[in-house]
Amino acid sequence: MNDLLTALLGALMATNTPVATSNLLQQQTGISVSIPDPDDPVEQEFERLLELDDQAQGEVDEWIRDNQAFADQGGGLTRAELNIKILQRFDVVRTNYLNFLSAHTNHARAHLAYASFLNDIGSEGESVEFMEKARDLDPSNPAAWNNLANYHGHRGNVKTAFDYYAKAIELDPNEPVYYQNYGTTVFLFRKDAKEHFGITEQEVFDKALTLYAGAIRLAPDDFPLATDIAQTYYGIKPLRTNDAFTAWNYAISIARDQIERDGVHIHLARLNREIGNYDEARRHANIITNAMYGEIKQRISKSIDEEEAEANGESLNGDSADEKPDPEQPQPRPNYP
């Protein structure tokens, strides 16, 4: 939702009931928005259900962390014991969802929430039924289309995923994650994208990058998104050098701390090494100071030295590269006693 629409919605809700707000919003913007009534007992019950879901998942996360800490000290539950405990906790949530859905069969958002819960606990195959029901009950909900697209991208028909992501964006063109998901699926499934859209591989890259551009336009300060986009260029051949540098330089401009900046310097060092800018590659490698990157910094620095030496026709021990054995020619066999 854009800032103007958010402001308008806030102003309307401050002075109107949810039903009146929805009607006024449609009259003034042409956009139909379903706004739940917070005083509706069903809505209140649904909110309690969501809280139960969040609470259970928070508890399970804490159990896993604590048990790992105990295991490190030689104690804790076995994996099987912990799994039983987790399943018992989630069964309480599952039962509450099913009871709610049995009483409120046409509650679209509850079907979608239950599908998300099933995904979270690893029951992705079971979740699709509830996603489809949510979509059928409320075809105007973009989240249902996006979640179904995610499912088809992983386990179903990838070409269906393309269409469902497009539908989600059509319904809500201001949600960056829809563009990101769509772009990632197009990029990963290039053969399917070529067939589905009738385009070349380079045009597939263009389409994915256009979708990523839509995502970063809507979330300009999202560092993980920016780095995901920049890393896409590793898979594009021939390398789009200028675009790759632009993407990584943008990522470093919005990095939130030195750890994130050092992470980008790793990629800038690699990129400069790839195109033979060895001094610039070395400069970026030398900037990296965080100990967590120490090993990878050492490997990159070594590879820069080796590739520069090879480009200069030398080996690192000072010999001419021409003196190295030709792997295509038979080599002397070792003498054994």
Side-chain angles (χ1 to χ4, degrees):
M1 189 176 292
N2 60 36
D3 293 340
L4 178 60
L5 182 56
T6 301
L8 176 58
L9 182 59
L12 291 172
M13 291 187 71
T15 55
N16 295 279
T17 66
V19 172
T21 298
S22 181
N23 292 337
L24 284 169
L25 189 63
Q26 185 166 12
Q27 292 171 11
Q28 296 189 34
T29 68
I31 300 173
S32 177
V33 177
S34 177
I35 303 173
D37 183 354
D39 296 325
D40 182 353
V42 174
E43 186 62 28
Q44 293 174 348
E45 184 182 355
F46 177 57
E47 289 298 323
R48 288 193 294 272
L49 181 58
L50 295 180
E51 290 173 5
L52 177 65
D53 185 344
D54 289 342
Q55 182 182 10
Q57 298 205 41
E59 288 178 6
V60 167
D61 288 343
E62 185 174 357
W63 292 347
I64 293 171
R65 288 194 300 270
D66 290 347
N67 198 66
Q68 183 59 54
F70 288 136
D72 292 342
Q73 301 298 321
L77 300 175
T78 66
R79 182 181 297 273
E81 290 170 336
L82 181 60
N83 284 343
I84 291 172
K85 183 179 179 181
I86 290 171
L87 289 174
Q88 289 173 340
R89 183 66 181 92
F90 282 150
D91 277 344
V92 175
V93 181
R94 182 193 293 267
T95 299
N96 277 269
Y97 267 118
L98 292 175
N99 289 341
F100 183 90
L101 291 172
S102 178
H104 310 289
T105 56
N106 293 327
H107 199 293
R109 289 181 299 120
H111 281 85
L112 194 60
Y114 184 48
S116 295
F117 166 77
L118 291 173
N119 273 326
D120 290 341
I121 66 172
S123 298
E124 188 176 6
E126 187 182 353
S127 71
V128 66
E129 170 190 348
F130 296 92
M131 285 188 280
E132 289 176 340
K133 182 67 173 178
R135 185 266 321 271
D136 294 342
L137 287 169
D138 184 7
S140 67
N141 185 341
W145 293 97
N146 174 75
N147 293 2
L148 277 168
N150 289 343
Y151 171 81
H152 283 287
H154 286 93
R155 301 184 59 169
N157 186 325
V158 173
K159 295 175 183 178
T160 298
F162 296 151
D163 293 337
Y164 283 9
Y165 283 130
K167 183 65 175 179
I169 291 172
E170 175 188 330
L171 291 168
D172 184 0
N174 295 299
E175 174 50 63
V177 73
Y178 300 159
Y179 292 88
Q180 182 180 6
N181 290 344
Y182 192 4
T184 298
T185 305
V186 167
F187 183 81
L188 291 177
F189 296 95
R190 295 190 281 279
K191 180 177 181 294
D192 297 279
K194 286 167 61 178
E195 294 174 357
H196 189 63
F197 300 109
I199 56 181
T200 66
E201 183 174 63
Q202 290 301 315
E203 289 171 329
V204 170
F205 291 141
D206 292 340
K207 184 175 183 65
L209 291 169
T210 298
L211 289 163
Y212 280 138
I216 201 68
R217 173 179 58 83
L218 294 166
D221 297 323
D222 189 330
F223 177 78
L225 171 61
T227 55
D228 282 349
I229 293 171
Q231 289 188 70
T232 300
Y233 287 96
Y234 286 122
I236 298 178
K237 305 299 179 186
L239 176 65
R240 302 184 182 187
T241 309
N242 291 338
D243 292 341
F245 275 119
T246 297
W248 282 117
N249 285 326
Y250 179 78
I252 204 169
S253 75
I254 61 171
R256 295 160 294 189
D257 54 39
Q258 191 58 41
I259 292 176
E260 291 183 346
R261 282 187 289 273
D262 280 357
V264 176
H265 282 300
I266 289 172
H267 293 284
L268 286 169
R270 285 174 173 165
L271 189 57
N272 277 286
R273 181 198 63 193
E274 287 296 313
I275 64 173
N277 287 345
Y278 300 114
D279 288 342
E280 185 66 5
R282 198 171 286 110
R283 184 182 73 81
H284 282 288
N286 290 338
I287 289 173
I288 301 166
T289 58
N290 194 282
M292 67 182 291
Y293 295 121
E295 183 178 348
I296 194 168
K297 173 182 176 178
Q298 185 178 14
R299 291 203 309 268
I300 290 174
S301 297
K302 181 180 179 182
S303 69
I304 293 169
D305 292 341
E306 289 175 343
E307 292 188 23
E308 183 177 30
E310 183 177 354
N312 292 333
E314 302 173 347
S315 67
L316 287 180
N317 62 13
D319 296 331
S320 169
D322 293 336
E323 297 174 1
K324 293 188 293 185
D326 184 348
E328 298 299 321
Q329 297 297 324
Q331 299 302 314
R333 294 176 61 84
N335 292 317
Y336 294 99

